Amino acid sequence: MKATIAVLAGDGIGREVVPEAVKLLKAVGERFGHVFEFVSGDVGGQAIDKIGVPLPQETLTLAKQAAAVLLGAVGGPKWEGLEYSLRPERGLLGLREQLGLFANLRPAKLYPMLAEASTLKRDVIEGLDLLVVRELTGGIYFGKPRGIEKIPGGERGINTEVYTTQEIRRIAKIAFDAARKRRRRVTSVDKANVLESSELWRRVVNEVHRDFPDVELSHMYVDNCAMQLVRNPKQFDVLVTTNLFGDILSDEAAMLTGSIGMLPSASLGAHAGLYEPIHGSAPDIAGKNLANPIATIASAALMLSYTFHLEKEAEAVESAILRTLDQGYRTKDIHSPGTRLVGTSEMGDAVLKHFAQG
Ligand code: NAD
């Protein structure tokens, strides 16, 4: 297979963790006989410094022409005083919008040797492996009417939850497809007992399900789901939900596993998929070889699976991460007594070594 990957390292630790993931992808190409071409672009604060805007046209073109985009992180104190439309974060939002990324996938998986890093008891989370599929471009964040208006005696704030059949259908399809790569169970999360938009959501998800008879579907109200995620998270395989509910539940699910430096994400849509760690540019540790590159390496594994459908290759990367952790390698964020403290590049090299041995 031959494919072009756009590499947008961005700011802060993005510049340290992305090269580690690129190293792994190169090794995947060599071992399995694929040709990945890497093209780098500017985004975020460093694009502002160099070109004057957070998302240069050149970067956008590059991202649109690529099969997939690997992104680090954007932002930092240096650019915080800028006008909102010129902030580094606009680069990422613009990219999501322009690439039509309507589905955000966030796996939350507990590596057994890191169980102590979670705030929950070991027996509740041991073996946890779930995926939150969040709708990203619809719902209450974009619905109209919206605003704040004057009313007699005060003001009134308005936001509107809106979903169309087409929007629900495409996100449901992504969730069922993802479930087929996993344990074939989807839980659709809504508030159909109160909201009409949820009533439609539930109906359309049921309709799409007819094309996926091999996947088990259940429905759950969002308040119950928030509770179940803490009570018994292992009951879930794939959760699919709206923009607002997904925003909240994906953070809740992510933190079950302990460290932000371990969690990857994928955003899918009409063009190239975008793969990035869920963490930011971490200015407090940037440039110090302290950042954990595993979230970004795991994002590259998601790319292999979701964009390139290279399941064997994705599993080989996942297994290399697991064996590296099993051998006691730890960056500072996941370090505990008795394990081997390493820096960003050493962790990347260790995963590469275990990949080569696999
Ligand atoms: P952050 O995720 O950058 O950092 C939060 C904490 O987690 C920090 O203490 C940091 O050191 C630690 N951390 C994060 N990633 C880590 C890693 N890989 N290894 C070890 N430790 C890690 O969030 P923040 O501090 O709120 O934001 C910093 C900047 O990043 C801001 O400018 C923010 O706007 C931006 N940001 C960008 C994105 C993105 O690009 N997707 C996401 C969130 C925040």
Side-chain angles (χ1 to χ4, degrees):
M1 201 209 54
K2 227 174 151 177
T4 302
I5 300 171
V7 179
L8 313 179
D11 306 317
I13 62 167
R15 309 200 76 71
E16 297 169 70
V17 292
V18 164
E20 302 307 319
V22 170
K23 277 201 293 209
L24 247 296
L25 285 170
K26 281 185 179 156
V28 168
E30 276 162 29
R31 173 157 146 206
F32 290 92
H34 307 302
V35 182
F36 296 129
E37 192 202 350
F38 299 93
V39 286
S40 299
D42 303 303
V43 71
Q46 54 96 213
I48 297 173
D49 289 352
K50 207 161 142 185
I51 299 151
V53 289
L55 180 61
Q57 186 56 45
E58 215 174 282
T59 303
L60 191 57
T61 307
L62 193 129
K64 279 189 172 166
Q65 285 171 351
V69 180
L70 180 67
L71 190 123
V74 298
K78 183 175 176 192
W79 305 281
E80 266 163 22
L82 291 176
E83 181 210 317
Y84 184 68
S85 66
L86 281 177
R87 294 262 187 96
E89 290 74 11
R90 289 306 306 169
L92 188 50
L93 295 178
L95 207 51
R96 285 180 182 153
E97 198 178 297
Q98 293 288 321
L99 291 177
L101 302 171
F102 63 83
N104 183 239
L105 279 67
R106 274 203 202 176
K109 181 172 169 175
L110 185 85
Y111 293 97
M113 55 296 276
L114 299 182
E116 304 311 325
S118 173
T119 50
L120 297 191
K121 288 191 196 122
R122 180 182 274 274
D123 61 313
V124 175
I125 46 153
E126 197 145 50
L128 174 81
D129 181 5
L130 61 83
L131 173 71
V132 179
V133 177
R134 167 188 170 194
E135 201 289 328
L136 208 56
T137 53
I140 199 162
Y141 292 171
F142 298 95
K144 292 204 174 98
R146 62 184 300 155
I148 300 176
E149 61 185 30
K150 296 231 179 301
I151 54 164
E155 287 178 295
R156 184 164 71 153
I158 307 155
N159 290 95
T160 309
E161 171 86 355
V162 188
Y163 271 109
T164 63
T165 311
Q166 188 252 353
E167 285 171 326
I168 303 166
R169 197 171 280 145
R170 65 185 186 180
I171 191 77
K173 194 173 171 316
I174 295 260
F176 288 119
D177 276 334
R180 277 188 170 158
K181 293 177 190 277
R182 300 171 47 93
R183 300 190 303 280
R184 294 177 186 253
R185 279 193 288 122
V186 170
T187 307
S188 174
V189 180
D190 62 37
K191 191 71 183 165
N193 50 343
V194 182
L195 303 174
E196 283 80 2
S197 59
S198 279
E199 197 185 313
L200 180 69
W201 177 279
R202 195 174 277 221
R203 182 153 34 97
V204 176
V205 171
N206 279 332
E207 279 165 23
V208 176
H209 181 225
R210 286 190 207 123
D211 294 334
F212 296 85
D214 53 320
V215 179
E216 194 187 305
L217 169 68
S218 59
H219 299 275
M220 194 177 271
Y221 296 137
V222 63
D223 42 348
N224 184 26
C225 182
M227 189 263 281
Q228 294 295 337
L229 271 173
V230 180
R231 195 186 73 88
N232 177 20
K234 282 188 277 185
Q235 68 185 284
F236 298 116
D237 179 17
V238 175
L239 288 163
V240 61
T241 192
T242 63
N243 203 343
L244 173 65
F245 297 160
D247 195 358
I248 300 163
L249 295 179
S250 62
D251 267 22
E252 187 187 357
M255 282 327 290
L256 295 174
T257 65
S259 171
I260 197 169
M262 302 289 297
L263 296 163
S265 80
S267 300
L268 309 178
H271 300 275
L274 177 84
Y275 298 84
E276 57 179 328
I278 73 160
H279 62 71
S281 60
D284 53 336
I285 57 166
K288 296 180 181 161
N289 196 32
L290 287 175
N292 187 345
I294 290 181
T296 315
I297 296 172
S299 300
L302 289 182
M303 178 192 292
L304 292 170
S305 173
Y306 285 101
T307 291
F308 300 127
H309 308 291
L310 299 172
E311 306 305 336
K312 215 169 15 113
E313 289 79 344
E315 267 166 39
V317 175
E318 282 288 341
S319 144
I321 293 173
L322 196 66
R323 278 177 288 130
T324 304
L325 293 169
D326 206 33
Q327 290 302 307
Y329 289 86
R330 300 283 189 277
T331 41
K332 197 165 169 232
D333 56 314
I334 51 172
H335 182 245
S336 58
T339 59
R340 182 169 169 180
L341 181 63
V342 293
T344 310
S345 51
E346 292 77 18
M347 182 60 108
D349 288 343
V351 178
L352 197 62
K353 183 180 87 181
H354 288 97
F355 175 80
Q357 288 167 355

